[in-house]
Amino acid sequence: MEPFKAFRIFGDNDKVAGRVVDMTLNELTAGEVVFRTVCSSVNYKDALAATGTGGRIIRTYPRIGGIDATGTVVSSADPRFKAGDEVICTSYEFGVGHDGGYSQVCRVPAEWVVPLPRGLTLYEAGALGVAGYTAGLAMELLELNGMAPGNGNVLVNGATGGVATLAIDMLARLGYRVVAVTGKDGEHDFLRKLGAAEVVSRHKLEMGGRPLEKAMWAAAFDSVGGEQLAWLTRTMRQDGLIASFGNAGGVEFKTTVLPFILRGVRLIGVNSGDTPMPLRRKIWNRLASDLKPRHLDEIAHVIALEELPGYFDKMLKAQTRGRAVVKLG
Ligand SMILES: NC(=O)c1ccc[n+]([C@@H]2O[C@H](COP(=O)([O-])OP(=O)(O)OC[C@H]3O[C@@H](n4cnc5c(N)ncnc54)[C@H](OP(=O)(O)O)[C@@H]3O)[C@@H](O)[C@H]2O)c1
């Protein structure tokens, strides 16, 4: 196979940075399935990993970044896949302990590979990526705990982010009344277009400080953590459900047991990285059907491999919107 381009991350003298390099197949980490990449994307974890921000996510360098990718199989030493199959690879060690999706060719263990479900193109699956998968998994877990459209408002914070924009679109499609919280005052119309019924400025939130504040939300999708998650616990309605998957605003939060023991609030952790394969396939099938976002074209835009460093910087400053898709094929 001819050499190909990849965005490889180097950690030299405590400085972590990536650049586009030429690579060959035998330089990639081992795996049974080789595929030509069509799309990867930028997730918050990619920005942290490629810049070494907030502690090292990548432990051994150099490493090709990118925690998700879609593409077409070139060869497979595992009988479950054959040349020409269209596939998705996300999570596990992809882009962290194993070379990732910012590469025109990927080589991965067969047990990480999901066949592209009918109803999605490789571009659409790439635009969803880990963010869409996480929004879908959060939806599934909250539904299992009783979330239903008639129960009341669903809050989505960090609303212009990748996971959040997709969650808003999916929730609105299913008939939920969504209240979006954003720090970007210029994006309220965009969020309404995706399906938010109300948009609240993060800068104008009255958080209060009592253990229990006015009960407002039947469910919440939390990208932010920190103070916003603490505030959510205080403002959930009876039996309210919080999906906690993000830390864009901090990893620590302080609350009391009162929301849990007096209002029956349930804090539900969402980890997209290690979902067992049957559930993973179920979520991807839902992303191709009842959860398929209606505004993917407005949420996602394409960037080139060379643009990644600038995009990571913007993402870490909360200056991005929706999803950036890295087109490789
Ligand atoms: N658990 C999992 O498996 C999993 C999977 C995927 C992602 N995540 C996590 O989920 C979060 C969102 O990921 P993403 O890829 O959607 O990232 P993203 O596109 O950067 O979205 C994060 C959003 O959070 C808001 N935000 C950023 N900094 C903030 C701050 N200091 N205080 C309050 N709000 C802030 C911004 O939205 P506004 O400007 O609109 O407020 C930003 O757009 C990240 O923490 C990521 O690590 C976890």
Side-chain angles (χ1 to χ4, degrees), residues 223-244:
S223 283
V224 176
E227 280 186 2
Q228 280 205 38
L229 178 54
W231 168 72
L232 279 175
T233 63
R234 300 196 297 268
T235 55
M236 299 307 291
R237 287 169 49 171
Q238 185 65 38
D239 298 326
L241 304 166
I242 305 170
S244 165

Side-chain angles (χ1 to χ4, degrees), residues 146-187:
M147 182 175 76
N151 292 357
N153 287 343
V154 179
L155 182 132
V156 180
N157 64 15
T160 66
V163 183
T165 46
L166 293 167
I168 291 169
D169 196 326
M170 292 175 200
L171 286 161
R173 175 180 172 154
L174 294 182
Y176 289 91
R177 188 172 191 283
V178 179
V179 178
V181 175
T182 180
K184 298 186 185 77
D185 292 337
E187 298 290 0

Side-chain angles (χ1 to χ4, degrees), residues 131-328:
Y133 179 76
T134 304
L137 180 61
M139 187 81 77
E140 172 86 7
L141 295 177
L142 294 198
E143 285 172 356
L144 281 173
N145 279 276
M147 182 175 76
N151 292 357
N153 287 343
V154 179
L155 182 132
V156 180
N157 64 15
T160 66
V163 183
T165 46
L166 293 167
I168 291 169
D169 196 326
M170 292 175 200
L171 286 161
R173 175 180 172 154
L174 294 182
Y176 289 91
R177 188 172 191 283
V178 179
V179 178
V181 175
T182 180
K184 298 186 185 77
D185 292 337
E187 298 290 0
H188 290 206
D189 287 346
F190 168 67
L191 293 169
R192 281 197 193 88
K193 195 170 173 200
L194 300 186
E198 270 178 66
V199 184
V200 178
S201 168
R202 157 163 40 110
H203 310 296
K204 293 183 188 153
L205 278 185
E206 286 177 18
M207 295 212 176
R210 292 176 299 175
L212 295 173
E213 296 284 347
K214 183 180 170 195
M216 294 187 278
W217 323 115
F221 283 60
D222 179 45
S223 283
V224 176
E227 280 186 2
Q228 280 205 38
L229 178 54
W231 168 72
L232 279 175
T233 63
R234 300 196 297 268
T235 55
M236 299 307 291
R237 287 169 49 171
Q238 185 65 38
D239 298 326
L241 304 166
I242 305 170
S244 165
F245 50 84
N247 60 354
V251 290
E252 288 180 12
F253 71 103
K254 192 165 174 259
T255 188
T256 70
V257 296
L258 296 184
F260 308 106
I261 63 177
L262 294 181
R263 287 187 180 160
V265 170
R266 269 169 275 172
L267 183 57
I268 294 162
V270 180
N271 170 17
S272 64
D274 299 298
T275 327
M277 193 46 90
L279 178 57
R280 187 173 293 281
R281 284 189 182 217
K282 179 182 181 191
I283 301 299
W284 276 109
N285 283 328
R286 290 195 67 186
L287 292 170
S289 52
D290 69 314
L291 295 183
K292 187 172 178 180
R294 295 177 295 188
H295 303 89
L296 206 48
D297 285 346
E298 287 103 310
I299 291 172
H301 67 282
V302 173
I303 66 168
L305 267 188
E306 291 75 11
E307 293 176 80
L308 281 170
Y311 198 85
F312 294 144
D313 286 346
K314 280 190 180 172
M315 189 173 226
L316 294 175
K317 292 179 189 146
Q319 291 170 354
T320 53
R321 177 181 106 170
R323 299 274 296 141
V325 181
V326 185
K327 254 196 177 171
L328 291 137

